[in-house]
Amino acid sequence: MKSFSILTTVLLSTSTSAFAPSADASRTNSPLSMAAGEGTTDAPSSVPMPNPIIKLAANGMSLLKPIFSLEANLQAAILGAISNVDKEAIASDIEVLKKENKVLIYTYGLSPFSTEALSILDASGYEYTNIELGKEWFLLGGEESETRVALSKEVEGGATSLPKVFIGGECIGGCAELASLVQGGELDEKMKKAKAGGKGGSDKPNFFTSLFA
């Protein structure tokens, strides 16, 4: 309970700044819609350090993982049954999106962790696709609830929290893991290895190279 109280205090203290739109961010997302190429090629060459308070809170969320997992599966079971959701189709859609997008992120519209992760990706200068499942977990419908549970199977430990970030088809985790890549100076290398577009480059073949290949 002491850990829960500390985590709650941190979340409340950061919610105002996290929800406030940044000067260079103007996102227009709708539930289960994709916003591709939000990263820009004229972004700074180095990614700013992530918000340390948000990262601390994101790491602290692991303490509540068993509770969230139970809630997520229960929500998916009830709403999924009501909506007659096809679980196999949900899993198939995720696989297709992973293959079609070099950088993919699933988010909540009102989550400070999703907001921070999107800010990191924006600053990286690489192109990415954002899929917003809903404004928050308690506002999800049947399909979105089943998607959240399906995404939890992409990470070790089965965390049901969002965001979920995929680079080169691999789920690296969420906001805390993305922030760690930045702090360790590994994000740029990982993006290049995945052949992510943007940052002054492109994952599309050069016209003249293709012509004489």
Side-chain angles (χ1 to χ4, degrees):
M1 289 302 293
K2 183 177 180 182
S3 298
F4 180 79
S5 299
I6 294 174
L7 179 59
T8 301
T9 302
V10 172
L11 288 175
L12 289 174
S13 66
T14 59
S15 60
T16 302
S17 60
F19 295 152
S22 59
D24 60 347
S26 56
R27 308 185 186 92
T28 54
N29 297 325
S30 58
L32 282 180
S33 66
M34 296 184 291
E38 293 186 10
T40 59
T41 58
D42 58 351
S45 58
S46 60
V47 183
M49 285 295 103
N51 186 321
I53 299 178
I54 292 291
K55 185 188 176 186
L56 176 64
N59 283 323
M61 292 294 286
S62 62
L63 298 173
L64 303 175
K65 185 170 65 177
I67 298 175
F68 287 149
S69 179
L70 179 63
E71 173 276 318
N73 282 279
L74 181 61
Q75 181 181 22
I78 296 174
L79 297 181
I82 293 175
S83 303
N84 195 26
V85 176
D86 186 340
K87 295 182 181 181
E88 293 185 2
I90 294 291
S92 178
D93 287 344
I94 293 174
E95 288 301 315
V96 170
L97 289 169
K98 284 165 53 179
K99 292 178 181 178
E100 290 182 344
N101 299 279
K102 303 295 185 182
V103 184
L104 174 68
I105 180 172
Y106 286 83
T107 62
Y108 293 136
L110 296 178
S111 164
F113 308 115
S114 292
T115 299
E116 178 69 6
L118 289 171
S119 295
I120 292 173
L121 291 178
D122 282 339
S124 77
Y126 289 98
E127 297 173 355
Y128 64 91
T129 296
N130 173 30
I131 299 182
E132 184 181 299
L133 286 190
K135 293 304 179 183
E136 262 298 353
W137 63 268
F138 50 83
L139 297 174
L140 301 180
E143 183 178 345
E144 296 84 0
S145 296
E146 288 288 2
T147 300
R148 177 166 66 137
V149 171
L151 287 171
S152 71
K153 299 176 183 178
E154 298 284 341
V155 292
E156 185 177 351
T160 58
S161 57
L162 292 187
K164 286 288 188 295
V165 184
F166 294 84
I167 300 178
E170 174 194 1
C171 186
I172 65 162
C175 179
E177 290 75 19
L178 182 61
S180 292
L181 287 179
V182 173
Q183 293 178 326
E186 303 172 61
L187 181 60
D188 196 55
E189 180 182 351
K190 200 167 188 67
M191 290 291 200
K192 289 178 179 178
K193 186 176 181 181
K195 298 181 180 179
K199 195 109 177 187
S202 173
D203 58 351
K204 296 181 180 179
N206 181 277
F207 172 76
F208 293 101
T209 302
S210 302
L211 185 63
F212 296 104

